[in-house]
Amino acid sequence: MPHERHPPNGERPPYPPYAPVDRSGRYGQAGRYAEHGAGPVPITPPQAQRPWVVRAAPGTPFHRLARTPVHRWWRPLVGTLFAAALGLVVMLAVTMGALSVATLLGDDPLAGTGDQIFSDPTANLGIQLGSLAALTPVVLLAAWVVQRRPVGSLSSVTGRVRVRWLLICLGLAVLACLASYVVSWMAFAVTGSEDSASTDWAGWGAFLPAALMIMLLVPFQAVAEEYIFRGWLLQAIASCTLETRTGPIGRAASAVFRTPWPAIVISAMVFTAGHAHRSWALLDVFLFGLMTGWLAVRTGGLEAPIALHVLNNIVAFQLTAATGRLDDALRVTDAPWQGIVGTAAQLGVFALLVLASFRRRGLEAVSPEPTARGWHRQGPELHPGPGARPLPRTT
C-alpha cells in the first residue's frame, strides 16, 4: 500500500471537501486520502442555471418568437389549454362581479330577454367588452409561465409596444377608414342598392352613456383580441415547424409550416369562428384576420393590427349606439356584399400606407441584437445617447 499523506499536525483533514483521490485526480475509495504527487483535488464549479425567461435568438421574425431555446412541442398546446381554462374563469368572474354590482344598485340583472343578461343593452355590451378585455393578462401569463419567454414578445420583436409606431398606425387607419366608406358608398350608388342600416337618431340621452362606455372599453377589447389571435395563437402555430419530419410528405409539410402562412390562415379562421356573423359578414371578418396577421408578421409587431382593430370597432359600435341598435351588436349579423368591397379597399389602403411608412422609418421586422443601455436605433444603425455604455462584443 502506498504511503498516505497526513497534515503536519497529524490531524485528519475534513471530509468533504478534501475527498480521497488517486493519482489520476479521480475520487478513490471512501476513507482514503490523497496520495503523494496526486496534487490538489480539482473542484468543479456548479453549473449556472438557465434563467426562467429565455429570449429567441436575434434575427427571429415575429411569428417565430415562441420558438426559443427551451421550446418543446407540448408548450404551445399546454399554454393554449392553460389560457383557455384561466380565461373562462376570468370571464365568469367578471360576469358575476357585474351581476353583484347590478343587484346592489337595485337593478334586476336577470330581466334581460333571450341570450341577454341585462335589460339595458348598454350594460349587456359593457359586460361583453369587459370580459374580453380581461383576457390580455391571461395570454401574457401563459407566455411567461408555460413558454418561459418574455411577455413582451407577444407585442413585437423589440419586446415592447412601440408607442410612436402605434400612434402613426392609428392615423393611417383613419385614412383607410375614410377610403372604406367612400368605396362602399360608390358601390351602393353603382348597383342602385341602399344600405339597410338604420339612420334614425337615438337621442343624446341614450347615445352619451353608450358612447362613453364604448370609448372606455373597446380599445381594451380590441387589444385583447389581437393578443389572443395575432399574438398568442399565431405564434403558437408558427412554432410548430415540423423540422424533424422525414420522408417526402414530412419534408413538404415542413417547408410549408416554416412559412408564416399556415399560422396566419389558421388564426384568421379561428378569429372568424369567434364572431357571431353569417354570409358576407363572415368573409369580411376573415379578410380582416388575414390582413392583420400578415401585417403583424411583416411589421414585426401588433401595433398596426391593434390600430386598425381599435378604430374599426369604435366606429362600428358608435354607429350602432347613435342609431339605437346596440342589441344588433350582440347578435348574429349579416352584411351586404357592397360592404365587403369597402372592407377590401380599407385593408388594401391601410396595408400600402403602413408598409410605406414602415420602410421609411427603418423599424425592426426581426428581433434585434442586444444593445447596451443608453443606445438608440435610427434605421439600421445604432447611435449613443447621454451616458451610453459600451456595446457588447459579438462573435
Side-chain angles (χ1 to χ4, degrees):
M1 176 186 298
H3 178 68
E4 296 182 350
R5 182 174 60 187
H6 294 275
N9 56 6
E11 298 179 358
R12 293 170 61 91
Y15 178 77
Y18 299 99
V21 296
D22 57 19
R23 293 186 182 277
S24 64
R26 295 189 297 268
Y27 285 96
Q29 299 177 357
R32 294 176 61 89
Y33 298 96
E35 297 178 330
H36 287 292
V41 179
I43 301 177
T44 303
Q47 296 182 352
Q49 294 183 352
R50 175 177 285 172
W52 180 262
V53 175
V54 181
R55 301 177 182 272
T60 303
F62 176 77
H63 63 286
R64 297 286 296 275
L65 290 180
R67 198 171 179 85
T68 64
V70 297
H71 168 76
R72 300 296 182 270
W73 67 267
W74 52 267
R75 291 191 187 275
L77 179 60
V78 173
T80 301
L81 295 176
F82 172 83
L86 184 58
L88 289 176
V89 173
V90 170
M91 294 180 72
L92 180 61
V94 172
T95 303
M96 296 303 296
L99 292 175
S100 301
V101 171
T103 303
L104 292 176
L105 294 178
D107 190 13
D108 185 5
L110 301 179
T113 59
D115 56 350
Q116 307 302 322
I117 299 177
F118 299 97
S119 57
D120 184 8
T122 302
N124 283 318
L125 181 61
I127 190 61
Q128 182 178 3
L129 296 177
S131 59
L132 289 174
L135 296 180
T136 300
V138 172
V139 294
L140 297 178
L141 185 63
W144 184 77
V145 171
V146 181
Q147 292 187 324
R148 294 178 54 186
R149 61 185 175 111
V151 297
S153 61
L154 286 168
S155 302
S156 73
V157 293
T158 62
R160 58 181 176 82
V161 177
R162 297 167 288 188
V163 179
R164 182 177 299 179
W165 173 237
L166 175 61
L167 295 177
I168 293 173
C169 290
L170 279 173
L172 300 179
V174 172
L175 298 177
C177 185
L178 294 177
S180 170
Y181 281 100
V182 170
V183 172
S184 297
W185 176 82
M186 293 176 60
F188 281 111
V190 169
T191 59
S193 302
E194 295 183 0
D195 193 351
S196 60
S198 174
T199 57
D200 297 333
W201 171 242
W204 289 107
F207 172 71
L208 286 180
L212 180 61
M213 182 270 299
I214 289 170
M215 295 301 297
L216 290 176
L217 294 181
V218 163
F220 296 100
Q221 169 261 332
V223 166
E225 291 189 7
E226 289 305 316
Y227 271 96
I228 293 171
F229 295 105
R230 259 67 70 181
W232 172 267
L233 187 59
L234 188 146
Q235 292 179 347
I237 298 172
S239 65
C240 304
T241 58
L242 306 179
E243 292 178 353
T244 60
R245 300 295 93 186
T246 58
I249 298 179
R251 289 194 298 268
S254 178
V256 173
F257 274 84
R258 284 198 298 268
T259 70
W261 285 107
I264 293 174
V265 174
I266 295 175
S267 61
M269 294 172 63
V270 178
F271 176 69
T272 304
H275 287 73
H277 295 321
R278 62 192 178 194
S279 184
W280 290 107
L282 285 177
L283 179 60
D284 185 287
V285 177
F286 181 70
L287 291 176
F288 182 90
L290 279 180
M291 182 58 72
T292 51
W294 180 75
L295 284 176
V297 175
R298 185 64 181 80
T299 61
L302 296 180
E303 294 87 358
I306 286 175
L308 187 61
H309 201 158
V310 168
L311 184 68
N312 264 13
N313 284 14
I314 286 180
V315 172
F317 283 123
Q318 293 287 15
L319 288 177
T320 57
T323 56
R325 296 182 296 110
L326 280 181
D327 287 337
D328 295 341
L330 305 173
R331 294 188 173 93
V332 176
T333 58
D334 197 355
W337 67 266
Q338 292 89 344
I340 308 302
V341 176
T343 298
Q346 178 191 33
L347 296 176
V349 171
F350 183 70
L352 291 175
L353 294 176
V354 166
L355 292 181
S357 180
F358 184 81
R359 294 193 195 97
R360 185 171 62 254
R361 296 180 177 276
L363 299 176
E364 298 90 348
V366 296
S367 55
E369 293 282 348
T371 59
R373 183 180 303 175
W375 291 69
H376 60 278
R377 183 178 296 274
Q378 291 182 355
E381 299 181 355
L382 293 172
H383 301 271
R389 300 179 181 180
L391 287 173
R393 298 184 61 183
T394 58
T395 56

